[in-house]
Amino acid sequence: MKKLIVAAILAISTAAHALTPGVVLTVGQWLLKNTDRVYYVQVEGRGYTEAEARRNGFALAVEQAVGTLVLSEREAVQQRMTRNEVANYSSGYVDNFKVLNKTMRGNEVTLTMDVWVAHSAIAGRLFGRSEVAGQVDGARIGAQVQTMQQSLADGDRVVAMVLKDFPRRAFDITLSNAVFRMNADRRTMLEIPFELKWNYNYIVSLHEALQATSQNPRAKNCWNYNQDCANQTYIRVVAKSPGSFAKWDNTLGFNDYRKHHLVNDAFINSVPVMQLVIRDPQNRMVFRDCYSWNVMNWSSTQSFVETRNNQIGVYGDLVRSSKIVVDLGTDSRGIDALSNIELSVVKADSCKA
């Protein structure tokens, strides 16, 4: 009991002295700076070191300027939490700052700063430039690099969290009535027709994550090798909402290859395959096998995903039909054990025949 009381006192004491990362001191406003829009705000950043106080103040200023996208993923299996992830993303970086005051209180540092924030959606590769020839403003450029890198890394996490659900939650599969046939060799063949399409909610989530983290969220004119856009990477998303005849189409532009690699690794390098499981009336598995399908090769517009050089197309409007044929042999004694058919899309390395 004494240990529990001590632990409770320590927890209360820790909570009472928890560090507040920062506070906003003024109402922020967007200003024009050399024809570019920047957001000015005065903040207090707090930390146990000056560097930490500066980082916390920067993060608060960026959040005030462009807001924060919060993506939360929770998943439970048999009432046990197996996945609990939260990713925060703000599409901005610190263009410049000025430390107005520094105070120390115990082991805490407080910095009062003027901070100017730019929107990373319009940021090119050249986002820092010295203002005086022959000199480098290391503090300013360092803040730009630090906050830009943080923004990019947070954006990668947001996209990666959506991609983590591929292919398990990415597709809708509709099974048609199974057909038994006997071939010329008197072998019983089980034909399982099915229809496969992207899950619309998954496509929307992917598009929103890519759009929020892109530097060029409307890059439609850059599709199909437009030479004016050769120095960027592009991910095109096409989709059609359920019950609608019209489809929507958007191309997102990025200043580097990271998002391109994330999508490529998730969709293409995972080599998705169809996994068939057949169970008996007691739900015991009596058959399992894996099947490759050419529309999963991601080689053309006939596939669900197309990749070429610096461009990836995700064709969320496609619907493809096919069938899986299972050879049950000449012995009919095992057929009466067949009951429930399950078909899913899985990564090749997790599919076991």
Side-chain angles (χ1 to χ4, degrees), residues 241-300:
S241 61
S244 173
F245 292 102
K247 60 184 179 182
W248 53 266
D249 181 344
N250 192 19
T251 301
L252 300 317
F254 301 90
N255 287 344
D256 56 46
Y257 280 88
R258 182 59 180 161
K259 302 297 188 303
H260 185 281
H261 291 327
L262 286 173
V263 174
N264 186 79
D265 289 345
F267 287 174
I268 298 168
N269 293 344
S270 64
V271 193
V273 297
M274 308 298 296
Q275 177 175 263
L276 172 66
V277 174
I278 304 178
R279 301 183 183 275
D280 65 12
Q282 288 73 44
N283 205 36
R284 294 174 300 197
M285 185 173 61
V286 296
F287 179 88
R288 178 169 63 184
D289 207 351
C290 310
Y291 301 87
S292 299
W293 192 16
N294 59 348
V295 298
M296 294 293 187
N297 292 338
W298 321 116
S299 57
S300 69

Side-chain angles (χ1 to χ4, degrees), residues 62-115:
V62 171
E63 181 180 344
Q64 289 294 308
V66 296
T68 300
L69 169 69
V70 179
L71 180 64
S72 177
E73 288 288 340
R74 291 178 174 85
E75 184 175 351
V77 176
Q78 296 180 347
Q79 298 183 337
R80 182 173 62 88
M81 189 67 69
T82 59
R83 181 179 172 193
N84 188 6
E85 297 179 78
V86 178
N88 300 319
Y89 170 73
S90 294
S91 59
Y93 70 96
V94 172
D95 178 71
N96 202 355
F97 73 100
K98 182 179 181 181
V99 176
L100 304 176
N101 188 40
K102 172 184 174 182
T103 59
M104 298 286 298
R105 182 181 178 185
N107 62 342
E108 295 181 9
V109 181
T110 299
L111 296 178
T112 303
M113 299 183 292
D114 285 339
V115 183

Side-chain angles (χ1 to χ4, degrees), residues 162-163 165-166 169-172 197-211 235-242 248-250 252 263 267 298 304-305 313-318:
V162 177
L163 294 174
D165 285 331
F166 180 87
R169 295 179 176 176
F171 292 99
D172 292 333
K197 62 182 179 180
W198 285 100
N199 178 277
Y200 182 71
N201 290 332
Y202 182 82
I203 289 294
V204 169
S205 296
L206 175 65
H207 176 260
E208 288 180 351
L210 293 171
Q211 186 175 46
I235 300 175
R236 180 187 183 192
V237 181
V238 183
K240 184 171 67 173
S241 61
W248 53 266
D249 181 344
N250 192 19
L252 300 317
V263 174
F267 287 174
W298 321 116
F304 288 105
V305 176
V314 182
Y315 300 109
D317 60 322
L318 291 187

